[in-house]
Amino acid sequence: MKKTFLTLLCGLLFSLAGNAQTELRTPFYQDKFYVGASFSGFDLNWNQDQKWKMDVAAKAGYLFDDNWMVTANVEYNVRDVAPNTLKAGAGLRYYLEQNGLYIGAGANYAHSKKYDDLLPTVQLGYAFFLNRTVTIEPEIYYNQSLKNHKDYSGVGFRIGFGIYFE
């Protein structure tokens, strides 16, 4: 009886130790994929007088190293005064350890009927995990227009969700 109990106890301890090793690993490890979508209509633009706006974006990414992700995105911006815009771009995201806070940088090519522009962008966000793979991601961003700073640059806030998978 003592041997059986000791064997079960050792088996339980080894299984918990093995599980602890996998749980301590950061969720942003190499060779993971990411897909996400976001919504923004909360721009804090100080450059244009907009009464209504809505931005919808889709993003995909790949963690090529622990905490480092390369991303590609497509975004559609609807405006009441300015022309609607389609954007496509790429970027890089770095996760600060395993707490979910990230910083990012990239560039977007913007196209509308009236203009084409290149917009370097920086982001600061947080990936809040709802479960092991699904996140809610609030983000603050800044887009710098290379064509017309006064009319097309801006600061904004977006909320999105993401899915991380192997």
Side-chain angles (χ1 to χ4, degrees), residues 54-126:
M54 181 183 76
D55 303 339
V56 178
K59 187 178 282 192
Y62 175 72
L63 282 135
F64 63 91
D65 197 8
D66 287 355
N67 300 325
W68 286 96
M69 180 191 295
V70 62
T71 62
N73 62 291
V74 175
E75 183 175 340
Y76 188 68
N77 310 125
V78 180
R79 304 285 188 261
D80 63 342
V81 176
N84 295 345
T85 309
L86 178 65
K87 295 179 183 176
L92 191 63
R93 189 186 275 190
Y94 177 73
Y95 292 92
L96 304 170
E97 296 302 323
Q98 55 186 335
N99 63 4
L101 187 66
Y102 63 85
I103 54 174
N108 291 318
Y109 173 74
H111 173 73
S112 73
K113 291 181 181 178
K114 296 187 177 187
Y115 73 96
D116 291 323
D117 197 359
L118 183 65
L119 298 137
T121 181
V122 293
Q123 309 99 24
L124 174 65
Y126 183 75

Side-chain angles (χ1 to χ4, degrees), residues 9 14 35 95 112 114 128 134 139 146:
L9 183 61
F14 283 123
V35 292
Y95 292 92
S112 73
K114 296 187 177 187
F128 177 75
V134 178
E139 181 179 88
L146 296 182

Side-chain angles (χ1 to χ4, degrees), residues 125-153:
Y126 183 75
F128 177 75
F129 279 86
L130 298 175
N131 61 24
R132 292 179 57 111
T133 58
V134 178
T135 59
I136 292 178
E137 298 180 345
E139 181 179 88
I140 296 171
Y141 63 91
Y142 175 73
N143 291 330
Q144 171 66 50
S145 173
L146 296 182
K147 181 177 180 128
N148 185 339
H149 172 74
K150 184 182 107 185
D151 292 334
Y152 302 118
S153 297

